Amino acid sequence: MEGFFICPFCDHREEPSPKLARCPRCGVPLRWEKPVPSLRPEDLRGRGLWRYAAFLPRVSPVTLGEGGTPLLEAKVGASFGVRVFWKMEFLNPTGSFKDRGASLMVSALRELGAKILVDDSSGNAGAALAAYSAAAGLRARLFVPAYASGPKIRQIRAYGGELVPVEGPRPAATLQAQKACAENPDLVYASHNASPFFLAGLTTLAFEIAEDLSWQAPDHVVAPVGGGGLLLGLFYGFSLLLSLGWVKKIPKIHAVQAQACAPIVLAWERGYAEPEAVEPGETVAEGARIPRPERGREILAALRATGGQALAVSEEEIQKAQRELAQSGLYVEPTAALAPAGLLRLLAAGFFARGETVVVPLTGSGLKTS
Ligand SMILES: [Zn+2]
């Protein structure tokens, strides 16, 4: 396999493998990287995620037509003199942005000989893993809280995903998944939060945004943060484009969390390098209800590197943003309304300068929670 797994904080690097590796010194999940290819934008071919294959590991793609989602200019910033674009990620094949990560991760793990892929998501990541495993001819086994139910579970089951209910709170499913993989060498832990391949797939979001803006980076991106993959994918994607000279800057990337579960916002406000685990409250944004993000230190470093803000929005703000999106014709799930809620707050506060460009990913379809 091309490239290396590298530590975001030190010079540790190792050969890519199906095993989920952590830095032996820093204890953090690794990310995948290869030398920047010599390439011009005119050399890009095809559509969707695999248009950017030159920046990804060389693999035989497992694809369902992911990526290539529209960048739609919104009316919401007009009265403030700000250009706002929605990045329509809920139009991906399984209804969320996670398809980018799953497409690349499943492709790479199949290439490395994996047969049974394990994760601990009962949500969009689980659905994406089940779908891409089905497309790849691999098995997907999802450890989920016993209480999990609803459309996302039905979606996972429909793709043929094997569901393993785990009694107890959410972290119990994670522990059980890790234990199963440690005991059975046929199982590969394909964690959407920690896999270097999953994160590499998410960098394509930055490439598409920049290309749709004629190879200009927007001034700002407002992103919801749960596990932080979306924010980090944007950060590494724009960083790569900057190193190629295809864009002139990295946008300020702002993180939005629900007040009910905001470990990144709390750590950012207090100036901590790492988030502390929080006791999560109830929130409609269940997809981002992650009390201790595995890549927390990396998220905070990326936020600070771009000069981004971190803000926590209330349940009322999330629901208002979701309602207003629907009334403009965009049907997204509550978790996908986190970033728009943050956007509305920043617009109202006069945070953006006139003439600035802001991109907001809409991460998941409203049909997911109907
Ligand atoms: Zn390290």
Side-chain angles (χ1 to χ4, degrees):
M1 175 83 40
E2 235 184 333
F4 290 96
F5 285 174
I6 63 168
C7 173
F9 297 106
C10 75
D11 59 5
H12 173 77
R13 59 170 52 204
E14 58 188 73
E15 291 288 327
S17 77
K19 248 178 75 73
L20 258 196
R22 288 176 177 274
C23 176
R25 286 193 284 266
C26 310
V28 296
L30 305 177
R31 68 185 187 88
W32 176 88
E33 194 180 74
K34 72 175 179 184
V36 179
S38 159
L39 203 72
R40 298 162 307 165
E42 307 86 87
D43 299 328
L44 299 173
R45 292 284 176 276
R47 299 176 58 189
L49 182 144
W50 296 96
R51 176 173 173 76
Y52 308 99
F55 302 128
L56 305 173
R58 203 173 303 125
V59 291
S60 166
V62 177
T63 181
L64 294 167
E66 57 292 326
T69 59
L71 190 68
L72 183 75
E73 184 147 14
K75 296 189 184 72
V76 63
S79 58
F80 301 93
V82 178
R83 292 188 77 191
V84 174
F85 294 88
W86 306 126
K87 178 65 173 158
M88 311 272 273
E89 285 296 284
F90 64 98
L91 297 179
N92 274 298
T94 77
S96 91
F97 77 100
K98 305 272 184 181
D99 291 348
R100 294 180 187 274
S103 176
L104 185 68
M105 179 176 70
V106 172
S107 303
L109 291 178
R110 183 174 70 172
E111 204 91 357
L112 291 166
K115 297 280 184 287
I116 307 175
L117 306 183
V118 171
D119 198 1
D120 54 321
S121 163
S122 55
N124 292 335
L129 182 67
Y132 283 86
S133 297
L138 303 178
R139 288 165 64 188
R141 189 169 298 170
L142 281 310
F143 289 76
V144 300
Y147 58 78
S149 65
K152 293 179 186 180
I153 289 286
R154 290 199 292 277
Q155 190 183 9
I156 292 170
R157 195 175 284 131
Y159 292 131
E162 302 164 22
L163 290 160
V164 183
V166 180
E167 295 294 337
R170 175 72 181 76
T174 307
L175 289 176
Q176 201 61 40
Q178 288 167 348
K179 190 161 164 278
C181 292
E183 287 169 359
N184 182 347
D186 291 338
L187 303 183
V188 169
Y189 190 24
S191 164
H192 62 286
N193 285 321
S195 164
F197 295 125
F198 199 96
L199 181 53
L202 296 176
T203 59
T204 58
L205 193 57
F207 307 153
E208 281 179 17
I209 291 169
E211 184 163 18
D212 278 348
L213 295 173
S214 307
W215 298 112
Q216 303 267 335
D219 297 297
H220 305 269
V221 180
V222 182
V225 172
L230 180 75
L231 184 144
L232 290 170
L234 287 163
F235 175 64
Y236 292 127
F238 280 112
S239 300
L240 179 66
L241 294 179
L242 182 67
S243 69
L244 278 163
W246 291 13
V247 299
K248 299 280 184 293
K249 64 175 180 188
I250 297 174
K252 289 192 171 71
I253 306 179
H254 311 289
V256 187
Q257 299 197 295
Q259 281 169 359
C261 185
I264 295 296
V265 179
L266 290 176
W268 182 81
E269 284 172 349
R270 292 169 186 170
Y272 295 168
E274 280 187 55
E276 291 179 342
V278 297
E279 188 58 50
E282 287 306 315
T283 172
V284 291
E286 38 83 28
R289 192 168 174 268
I290 298 179
R292 195 186 149 276
E294 283 193 75
R295 292 187 182 272
R297 183 177 160 198
E298 207 177 351
I299 298 166
L300 286 162
L303 259 182
R304 292 185 176 121
T306 74
Q309 305 277 310
L311 53 159
V313 291
S314 69
E315 295 302 295
E316 292 71 29
E317 287 176 284
I318 299 167
Q319 283 163 325
K320 177 171 177 281
Q322 187 191 18
R323 214 166 38 240
E324 289 182 4
L325 280 165
Q327 285 163 1
S328 74
L330 299 168
Y331 192 44
V332 303
E333 64 175 330
T335 306
L338 271 178
L343 170 82
L344 293 177
R345 167 111 55 96
L346 291 171
L347 278 172
F351 178 80
F352 306 113
R354 292 188 81 82
E356 283 193 319
T357 306
V358 186
V359 172
V360 184
L362 300 180
T363 50
S365 167
L367 298 172
K368 291 270 199 174
T369 48
S370 289

